[in-house]
Amino acid sequence: MKDVVSNCPIEEVMRVLSGRWPTLLLYYLKDGTKRFSDLRRDNPTLSHRMLALELRKLEVAGIVRRTAYAGYPLRVDYDLTASGLRLVPLIDALGDWWADREDDRIDLARAPVQKLGTAA
């Protein structure tokens, strides 16, 4: 992972949660414990390798807990830690914000495209 450049806490948060998958994985884990295969099913375009890397990154950050059970085949469960559960209201708020903006998105999609340098 990249080094932190400033002392801003937002930079550290973005280092952990940025990208396409981390926040989406938290969204799916907010409902409770999931197995690796469940998370693959929830995110069919996410490769096995990338899922493993993202889960490991969230685990190192203390957001996700990995529990492995002895036996064959190996069973591994993932769930949110107490720290990860504190992120759930933020994730829900992002989803609510996006849903509330639906009218704005529709209006923008209907607006004519204006070329740069031309008057409105």
Short mmCIF file of all heavy atoms in Angstrom, two decimals, residues 25-77:
data_model
loop_
_atom_site.label_atom_id
_atom_site.label_comp_id
_atom_site.label_asym_id
_atom_site.label_seq_id
_atom_site.Cartn_x
_atom_site.Cartn_y
_atom_site.Cartn_z
N LEU A 25 -17.55 -4.48 -0.45
CA LEU A 25 -17.43 -5.65 0.42
C LEU A 25 -18.01 -5.35 1.80
O LEU A 25 -18.70 -6.19 2.39
CB LEU A 25 -15.97 -6.07 0.54
CG LEU A 25 -15.35 -6.68 -0.72
CD1 LEU A 25 -13.87 -6.88 -0.55
CD2 LEU A 25 -16.06 -7.97 -1.09
N LEU A 26 -17.77 -4.14 2.31
CA LEU A 26 -18.35 -3.75 3.60
C LEU A 26 -19.87 -3.73 3.51
O LEU A 26 -20.56 -4.13 4.44
CB LEU A 26 -17.83 -2.39 4.03
CG LEU A 26 -16.33 -2.30 4.30
CD1 LEU A 26 -15.94 -0.88 4.66
CD2 LEU A 26 -15.92 -3.27 5.38
N TYR A 27 -20.40 -3.29 2.38
CA TYR A 27 -21.84 -3.26 2.17
C TYR A 27 -22.43 -4.67 2.29
O TYR A 27 -23.45 -4.88 2.94
CB TYR A 27 -22.17 -2.65 0.81
CG TYR A 27 -23.63 -2.71 0.46
CD1 TYR A 27 -24.51 -1.78 1.01
CD2 TYR A 27 -24.13 -3.70 -0.37
CE1 TYR A 27 -25.87 -1.83 0.70
CE2 TYR A 27 -25.47 -3.75 -0.68
CZ TYR A 27 -26.34 -2.82 -0.15
OH TYR A 27 -27.68 -2.88 -0.43
N TYR A 28 -21.77 -5.65 1.68
CA TYR A 28 -22.27 -7.02 1.74
C TYR A 28 -22.06 -7.67 3.10
O TYR A 28 -22.83 -8.52 3.51
CB TYR A 28 -21.66 -7.88 0.64
CG TYR A 28 -22.22 -7.55 -0.72
CD1 TYR A 28 -21.43 -6.99 -1.71
CD2 TYR A 28 -23.56 -7.76 -1.01
CE1 TYR A 28 -21.95 -6.66 -2.95
CE2 TYR A 28 -24.09 -7.44 -2.24
CZ TYR A 28 -23.29 -6.90 -3.20
OH TYR A 28 -23.82 -6.58 -4.42
N LEU A 29 -21.02 -7.26 3.80
CA LEU A 29 -20.75 -7.83 5.12
C LEU A 29 -21.58 -7.18 6.23
O LEU A 29 -21.64 -7.72 7.33
CB LEU A 29 -19.26 -7.71 5.46
CG LEU A 29 -18.35 -8.67 4.71
CD1 LEU A 29 -16.89 -8.29 4.92
CD2 LEU A 29 -18.61 -10.10 5.15
N LYS A 30 -22.22 -6.06 5.95
CA LYS A 30 -22.98 -5.37 7.00
C LYS A 30 -24.17 -6.21 7.48
O LYS A 30 -24.63 -6.03 8.59
CB LYS A 30 -23.45 -3.99 6.54
CG LYS A 30 -24.57 -4.01 5.56
CD LYS A 30 -24.99 -2.60 5.19
CE LYS A 30 -26.26 -2.67 4.36
NZ LYS A 30 -27.01 -1.46 4.38
N ASP A 31 -24.64 -7.14 6.66
CA ASP A 31 -25.77 -7.98 7.04
C ASP A 31 -25.37 -9.19 7.87
O ASP A 31 -26.22 -9.95 8.31
CB ASP A 31 -26.52 -8.45 5.79
CG ASP A 31 -27.16 -7.27 5.05
OD1 ASP A 31 -27.58 -6.31 5.73
OD2 ASP A 31 -27.22 -7.32 3.82
N GLY A 32 -24.07 -9.39 8.06
CA GLY A 32 -23.63 -10.51 8.89
C GLY A 32 -22.50 -11.29 8.25
O GLY A 32 -21.97 -10.92 7.21
N THR A 33 -22.15 -12.38 8.88
CA THR A 33 -21.03 -13.22 8.47
C THR A 33 -21.28 -13.82 7.09
O THR A 33 -22.38 -14.26 6.79
CB THR A 33 -20.82 -14.34 9.51
OG1 THR A 33 -20.59 -13.73 10.78
CG2 THR A 33 -19.65 -15.22 9.14
N LYS A 34 -20.23 -13.83 6.29
CA LYS A 34 -20.30 -14.44 4.95
C LYS A 34 -19.05 -15.27 4.73
O LYS A 34 -17.98 -14.97 5.25
CB LYS A 34 -20.37 -13.36 3.87
CG LYS A 34 -21.63 -12.53 3.94
CD LYS A 34 -22.25 -12.47 2.60
CE LYS A 34 -23.54 -11.68 2.68
NZ LYS A 34 -24.22 -11.65 1.44
N ARG A 35 -19.22 -16.29 3.92
CA ARG A 35 -18.08 -17.10 3.50
C ARG A 35 -17.47 -16.49 2.26
O ARG A 35 -18.10 -15.67 1.57
CB ARG A 35 -18.53 -18.53 3.24
CG ARG A 35 -19.02 -19.20 4.53
CD ARG A 35 -19.50 -20.59 4.29
NE ARG A 35 -18.32 -21.43 4.11
CZ ARG A 35 -18.39 -22.75 3.99
NH1 ARG A 35 -19.55 -23.37 4.03
NH2 ARG A 35 -17.30 -23.46 3.84
N PHE A 36 -16.27 -16.89 1.94
CA PHE A 36 -15.57 -16.37 0.77
C PHE A 36 -16.42 -16.59 -0.48
O PHE A 36 -16.58 -15.68 -1.31
CB PHE A 36 -14.22 -17.08 0.63
CG PHE A 36 -13.32 -16.49 -0.40
CD1 PHE A 36 -12.44 -15.48 -0.07
CD2 PHE A 36 -13.34 -16.94 -1.71
CE1 PHE A 36 -11.59 -14.93 -1.03
CE2 PHE A 36 -12.50 -16.41 -2.67
CZ PHE A 36 -11.63 -15.39 -2.33
N SER A 37 -17.00 -17.77 -0.61
CA SER A 37 -17.81 -18.08 -1.80
C SER A 37 -19.06 -17.20 -1.87
O SER A 37 -19.51 -16.86 -2.97
CB SER A 37 -18.20 -19.56 -1.82
OG SER A 37 -18.93 -19.89 -0.66
N ASP A 38 -19.63 -16.83 -0.72
CA ASP A 38 -20.78 -15.93 -0.72
C ASP A 38 -20.39 -14.56 -1.27
O ASP A 38 -21.13 -13.95 -2.06
CB ASP A 38 -21.34 -15.74 0.69
CG ASP A 38 -21.89 -17.02 1.28
OD1 ASP A 38 -22.38 -17.87 0.51
OD2 ASP A 38 -21.83 -17.16 2.52
N LEU A 39 -19.22 -14.09 -0.86
CA LEU A 39 -18.75 -12.79 -1.34
C LEU A 39 -18.42 -12.84 -2.83
O LEU A 39 -18.65 -11.87 -3.55
CB LEU A 39 -17.53 -12.33 -0.53
CG LEU A 39 -17.85 -11.99 0.93
CD1 LEU A 39 -16.57 -11.84 1.73
CD2 LEU A 39 -18.70 -10.74 1.01
N ARG A 40 -17.93 -13.97 -3.31
CA ARG A 40 -17.70 -14.14 -4.75
C ARG A 40 -19.02 -14.09 -5.51
O ARG A 40 -19.12 -13.50 -6.57
CB ARG A 40 -17.02 -15.49 -5.04
CG ARG A 40 -15.55 -15.58 -4.82
CD ARG A 40 -14.71 -14.80 -5.80
NE ARG A 40 -15.00 -15.04 -7.19
CZ ARG A 40 -14.33 -15.83 -7.99
NH1 ARG A 40 -13.29 -16.48 -7.55
NH2 ARG A 40 -14.66 -15.96 -9.26
N ARG A 41 -20.04 -14.74 -4.95
CA ARG A 41 -21.36 -14.74 -5.58
C ARG A 41 -21.97 -13.34 -5.60
O ARG A 41 -22.61 -12.95 -6.57
CB ARG A 41 -22.28 -15.71 -4.83
CG ARG A 41 -23.35 -16.33 -5.67
CD ARG A 41 -24.10 -17.45 -4.94
NE ARG A 41 -23.23 -18.54 -4.53
CZ ARG A 41 -22.94 -18.86 -3.26
NH1 ARG A 41 -23.47 -18.23 -2.27
NH2 ARG A 41 -22.13 -19.85 -2.98
N ASP A 42 -21.77 -12.59 -4.52
CA ASP A 42 -22.29 -11.22 -4.45
C ASP A 42 -21.60 -10.29 -5.44
O ASP A 42 -22.18 -9.30 -5.86
CB ASP A 42 -22.10 -10.65 -3.04
CG ASP A 42 -23.00 -11.30 -2.01
OD1 ASP A 42 -24.04 -11.88 -2.39
OD2 ASP A 42 -22.67 -11.23 -0.81
N ASN A 43 -20.36 -10.60 -5.78
CA ASN A 43 -19.54 -9.76 -6.66
C ASN A 43 -18.98 -10.60 -7.81
O ASN A 43 -17.78 -10.89 -7.83
CB ASN A 43 -18.38 -9.15 -5.87
CG ASN A 43 -18.85 -8.34 -4.70
OD1 ASN A 43 -19.30 -7.24 -4.86
ND2 ASN A 43 -18.75 -8.91 -3.51
N PRO A 44 -19.80 -11.00 -8.76
CA PRO A 44 -19.35 -11.96 -9.79
C PRO A 44 -18.23 -11.44 -10.69
O PRO A 44 -17.51 -12.24 -11.27
CB PRO A 44 -20.61 -12.25 -10.59
CG PRO A 44 -21.55 -11.13 -10.30
CD PRO A 44 -21.19 -10.62 -8.94
N THR A 45 -18.04 -10.14 -10.81
CA THR A 45 -16.96 -9.63 -11.66
C THR A 45 -15.64 -9.46 -10.91
O THR A 45 -14.63 -9.12 -11.51
CB THR A 45 -17.35 -8.27 -12.30
OG1 THR A 45 -17.62 -7.34 -11.26
CG2 THR A 45 -18.58 -8.42 -13.19
N LEU A 46 -15.66 -9.72 -9.62
CA LEU A 46 -14.46 -9.62 -8.79
C LEU A 46 -13.70 -10.94 -8.84
O LEU A 46 -14.26 -12.00 -8.54
CB LEU A 46 -14.88 -9.29 -7.35
CG LEU A 46 -13.81 -9.20 -6.28
CD1 LEU A 46 -12.77 -8.15 -6.63
CD2 LEU A 46 -14.45 -8.87 -4.95
N SER A 47 -12.44 -10.88 -9.24
CA SER A 47 -11.65 -12.11 -9.36
C SER A 47 -11.34 -12.68 -7.97
O SER A 47 -11.36 -11.97 -6.96
CB SER A 47 -10.34 -11.83 -10.10
OG SER A 47 -9.46 -11.09 -9.29
N HIS A 48 -11.04 -13.96 -7.96
CA HIS A 48 -10.69 -14.67 -6.72
C HIS A 48 -9.50 -13.97 -6.05
O HIS A 48 -9.51 -13.71 -4.84
CB HIS A 48 -10.35 -16.12 -7.06
CG HIS A 48 -9.98 -16.95 -5.88
ND1 HIS A 48 -10.89 -17.71 -5.21
CD2 HIS A 48 -8.80 -17.12 -5.25
CE1 HIS A 48 -10.28 -18.33 -4.21
NE2 HIS A 48 -9.02 -18.00 -4.22
N ARG A 49 -8.49 -13.67 -6.84
CA ARG A 49 -7.27 -13.05 -6.32
C ARG A 49 -7.55 -11.66 -5.74
O ARG A 49 -7.09 -11.33 -4.65
CB ARG A 49 -6.23 -12.94 -7.43
CG ARG A 49 -4.94 -12.31 -6.99
CD ARG A 49 -3.92 -12.25 -8.15
NE ARG A 49 -2.67 -11.70 -7.72
CZ ARG A 49 -2.39 -10.39 -7.67
NH1 ARG A 49 -3.28 -9.52 -8.04
NH2 ARG A 49 -1.21 -9.98 -7.26
N MET A 50 -8.32 -10.85 -6.47
CA MET A 50 -8.60 -9.49 -6.00
C MET A 50 -9.45 -9.52 -4.73
O MET A 50 -9.23 -8.73 -3.81
CB MET A 50 -9.30 -8.69 -7.10
CG MET A 50 -9.49 -7.24 -6.72
SD MET A 50 -7.98 -6.35 -6.28
CE MET A 50 -7.16 -6.24 -7.82
N LEU A 51 -10.40 -10.45 -4.66
CA LEU A 51 -11.22 -10.58 -3.45
C LEU A 51 -10.33 -10.92 -2.25
O LEU A 51 -10.45 -10.32 -1.19
CB LEU A 51 -12.30 -11.64 -3.64
CG LEU A 51 -13.17 -11.94 -2.42
CD1 LEU A 51 -13.87 -10.69 -1.90
CD2 LEU A 51 -14.20 -13.02 -2.76
N ALA A 52 -9.42 -11.87 -2.44
CA ALA A 52 -8.51 -12.25 -1.36
C ALA A 52 -7.64 -11.06 -0.92
O ALA A 52 -7.46 -10.82 0.28
CB ALA A 52 -7.64 -13.42 -1.79
N LEU A 53 -7.13 -10.30 -1.90
CA LEU A 53 -6.29 -9.15 -1.57
C LEU A 53 -7.07 -8.07 -0.82
O LEU A 53 -6.58 -7.50 0.16
CB LEU A 53 -5.68 -8.55 -2.84
CG LEU A 53 -4.59 -9.37 -3.53
CD1 LEU A 53 -4.23 -8.74 -4.87
CD2 LEU A 53 -3.37 -9.48 -2.64
N GLU A 54 -8.27 -7.78 -1.28
CA GLU A 54 -9.08 -6.73 -0.64
C GLU A 54 -9.51 -7.15 0.76
O GLU A 54 -9.49 -6.34 1.69
CB GLU A 54 -10.31 -6.39 -1.50
CG GLU A 54 -9.98 -5.74 -2.82
CD GLU A 54 -9.34 -4.37 -2.70
OE1 GLU A 54 -9.43 -3.73 -1.64
OE2 GLU A 54 -8.73 -3.93 -3.69
N LEU A 55 -9.89 -8.40 0.94
CA LEU A 55 -10.26 -8.88 2.27
C LEU A 55 -9.06 -8.82 3.22
O LEU A 55 -9.19 -8.45 4.38
CB LEU A 55 -10.84 -10.29 2.20
CG LEU A 55 -12.25 -10.40 1.64
CD1 LEU A 55 -12.61 -11.85 1.37
CD2 LEU A 55 -13.26 -9.75 2.57
N ARG A 56 -7.90 -9.19 2.71
CA ARG A 56 -6.69 -9.14 3.52
C ARG A 56 -6.38 -7.70 3.93
O ARG A 56 -6.01 -7.42 5.07
CB ARG A 56 -5.51 -9.75 2.76
CG ARG A 56 -4.30 -9.98 3.63
CD ARG A 56 -3.22 -10.79 2.94
NE ARG A 56 -3.73 -12.10 2.56
CZ ARG A 56 -3.67 -12.60 1.30
NH1 ARG A 56 -3.10 -11.92 0.34
NH2 ARG A 56 -4.14 -13.78 1.04
N LYS A 57 -6.53 -6.76 3.00
CA LYS A 57 -6.29 -5.34 3.30
C LYS A 57 -7.25 -4.86 4.38
O LYS A 57 -6.84 -4.17 5.32
CB LYS A 57 -6.46 -4.51 2.02
CG LYS A 57 -6.27 -3.02 2.23
CD LYS A 57 -6.28 -2.24 0.93
CE LYS A 57 -7.67 -2.00 0.44
NZ LYS A 57 -7.75 -1.03 -0.68
N LEU A 58 -8.53 -5.23 4.28
CA LEU A 58 -9.51 -4.82 5.29
C LEU A 58 -9.24 -5.50 6.63
O LEU A 58 -9.48 -4.93 7.69
CB LEU A 58 -10.92 -5.12 4.79
CG LEU A 58 -11.39 -4.29 3.60
CD1 LEU A 58 -12.70 -4.82 3.05
CD2 LEU A 58 -11.51 -2.82 3.97
N GLU A 59 -8.73 -6.72 6.57
CA GLU A 59 -8.40 -7.44 7.81
C GLU A 59 -7.21 -6.77 8.52
O GLU A 59 -7.25 -6.56 9.73
CB GLU A 59 -8.07 -8.90 7.47
CG GLU A 59 -7.78 -9.75 8.67
CD GLU A 59 -7.39 -11.17 8.30
OE1 GLU A 59 -7.28 -11.50 7.10
OE2 GLU A 59 -7.17 -11.96 9.23
N VAL A 60 -6.19 -6.41 7.76
CA VAL A 60 -5.02 -5.74 8.33
C VAL A 60 -5.42 -4.40 8.94
O VAL A 60 -4.89 -4.00 9.98
CB VAL A 60 -3.92 -5.57 7.26
CG1 VAL A 60 -2.83 -4.62 7.72
CG2 VAL A 60 -3.32 -6.92 6.89
N ALA A 61 -6.39 -3.73 8.34
CA ALA A 61 -6.85 -2.44 8.84
C ALA A 61 -7.74 -2.58 10.07
O ALA A 61 -8.10 -1.59 10.69
CB ALA A 61 -7.60 -1.69 7.74
N GLY A 62 -8.11 -3.83 10.41
CA GLY A 62 -8.95 -4.06 11.59
C GLY A 62 -10.43 -3.84 11.35
O GLY A 62 -11.20 -3.68 12.29
N ILE A 63 -10.84 -3.88 10.09
CA ILE A 63 -12.24 -3.64 9.73
C ILE A 63 -12.99 -4.95 9.55
O ILE A 63 -14.18 -5.04 9.87
CB ILE A 63 -12.30 -2.78 8.45
CG1 ILE A 63 -11.68 -1.41 8.72
CG2 ILE A 63 -13.72 -2.64 7.94
CD1 ILE A 63 -11.46 -0.58 7.48
N VAL A 64 -12.30 -5.96 9.04
CA VAL A 64 -12.90 -7.27 8.78
C VAL A 64 -12.17 -8.32 9.60
O VAL A 64 -10.95 -8.26 9.76
CB VAL A 64 -12.83 -7.61 7.26
CG1 VAL A 64 -13.19 -9.05 6.99
CG2 VAL A 64 -13.72 -6.67 6.47
N ARG A 65 -12.92 -9.29 10.11
CA ARG A 65 -12.35 -10.41 10.88
C ARG A 65 -12.47 -11.67 10.03
O ARG A 65 -13.52 -11.96 9.48
CB ARG A 65 -13.10 -10.58 12.19
CG ARG A 65 -12.64 -11.76 13.03
CD ARG A 65 -13.45 -11.91 14.30
NE ARG A 65 -14.59 -11.05 14.21
CZ ARG A 65 -15.02 -10.10 15.06
NH1 ARG A 65 -14.54 -9.93 16.07
NH2 ARG A 65 -16.00 -9.32 14.91
N ARG A 66 -11.37 -12.40 9.95
CA ARG A 66 -11.34 -13.67 9.22
C ARG A 66 -11.27 -14.79 10.24
O ARG A 66 -10.40 -14.79 11.10
CB ARG A 66 -10.11 -13.72 8.32
CG ARG A 66 -9.94 -15.00 7.56
CD ARG A 66 -8.61 -14.93 6.77
NE ARG A 66 -8.47 -16.04 5.88
CZ ARG A 66 -7.89 -17.19 6.20
NH1 ARG A 66 -7.40 -17.35 7.42
NH2 ARG A 66 -7.79 -18.16 5.32
N THR A 67 -12.21 -15.73 10.15
CA THR A 67 -12.22 -16.88 11.05
C THR A 67 -12.11 -18.15 10.22
O THR A 67 -12.98 -18.43 9.39
CB THR A 67 -13.53 -16.92 11.88
OG1 THR A 67 -13.70 -15.65 12.52
CG2 THR A 67 -13.48 -18.02 12.91
N ALA A 68 -11.03 -18.92 10.44
CA ALA A 68 -10.81 -20.17 9.72
C ALA A 68 -11.14 -21.33 10.65
O ALA A 68 -10.76 -21.33 11.82
CB ALA A 68 -9.38 -20.26 9.23
N TYR A 69 -11.84 -22.31 10.13
CA TYR A 69 -12.23 -23.50 10.89
C TYR A 69 -11.46 -24.70 10.36
O TYR A 69 -11.30 -24.87 9.16
CB TYR A 69 -13.73 -23.75 10.76
CG TYR A 69 -14.56 -22.62 11.30
CD1 TYR A 69 -14.99 -21.59 10.47
CD2 TYR A 69 -14.89 -22.56 12.65
CE1 TYR A 69 -15.75 -20.54 10.96
CE2 TYR A 69 -15.65 -21.52 13.15
CZ TYR A 69 -16.08 -20.52 12.30
OH TYR A 69 -16.82 -19.47 12.80
N ALA A 70 -10.99 -25.53 11.28
CA ALA A 70 -10.24 -26.73 10.91
C ALA A 70 -11.15 -27.71 10.18
O ALA A 70 -12.36 -27.72 10.37
CB ALA A 70 -9.65 -27.38 12.15
N GLY A 71 -10.53 -28.51 9.37
CA GLY A 71 -11.29 -29.53 8.65
C GLY A 71 -11.07 -29.42 7.16
O GLY A 71 -10.41 -28.51 6.66
N TYR A 72 -11.64 -30.38 6.48
CA TYR A 72 -11.52 -30.39 5.03
C TYR A 72 -12.91 -30.48 4.45
O TYR A 72 -13.69 -31.33 4.85
CB TYR A 72 -10.67 -31.56 4.55
CG TYR A 72 -10.48 -31.54 3.07
CD1 TYR A 72 -9.50 -30.73 2.51
CD2 TYR A 72 -11.28 -32.29 2.22
CE1 TYR A 72 -9.33 -30.68 1.14
CE2 TYR A 72 -11.10 -32.25 0.86
CZ TYR A 72 -10.14 -31.45 0.32
OH TYR A 72 -9.98 -31.39 -1.03
N PRO A 73 -13.29 -29.64 3.55
CA PRO A 73 -12.53 -28.51 3.05
C PRO A 73 -12.47 -27.39 4.08
O PRO A 73 -13.33 -27.29 4.95
CB PRO A 73 -13.32 -28.06 1.82
CG PRO A 73 -14.72 -28.49 2.10
CD PRO A 73 -14.61 -29.73 2.93
N LEU A 74 -11.43 -26.58 3.96
CA LEU A 74 -11.24 -25.45 4.87
C LEU A 74 -12.43 -24.51 4.76
O LEU A 74 -12.87 -24.18 3.68
CB LEU A 74 -9.96 -24.70 4.52
CG LEU A 74 -9.64 -23.47 5.37
CD1 LEU A 74 -9.36 -23.89 6.81
CD2 LEU A 74 -8.45 -22.73 4.79
N ARG A 75 -12.97 -24.11 5.90
CA ARG A 75 -14.09 -23.17 5.94
C ARG A 75 -13.59 -21.86 6.55
O ARG A 75 -13.01 -21.85 7.63
CB ARG A 75 -15.24 -23.72 6.77
CG ARG A 75 -16.45 -22.83 6.75
CD ARG A 75 -17.59 -23.44 7.52
NE ARG A 75 -18.15 -22.38 8.36
CZ ARG A 75 -18.69 -22.55 9.53
NH1 ARG A 75 -18.76 -23.74 10.06
NH2 ARG A 75 -19.17 -21.53 10.19
N VAL A 76 -13.82 -20.76 5.83
CA VAL A 76 -13.39 -19.45 6.29
C VAL A 76 -14.59 -18.51 6.25
O VAL A 76 -15.29 -18.43 5.25
CB VAL A 76 -12.24 -18.89 5.42
CG1 VAL A 76 -11.83 -17.51 5.89
CG2 VAL A 76 -11.06 -19.83 5.42
N ASP A 77 -14.83 -17.84 7.37
CA ASP A 77 -15.91 -16.86 7.46
C ASP A 77 -15.31 -15.46 7.61
O ASP A 77 -14.24 -15.29 8.19
CB ASP A 77 -16.80 -17.12 8.69
CG ASP A 77 -17.65 -18.37 8.54
OD1 ASP A 77 -17.84 -18.84 7.41
OD2 ASP A 77 -18.12 -18.86 9.58
#
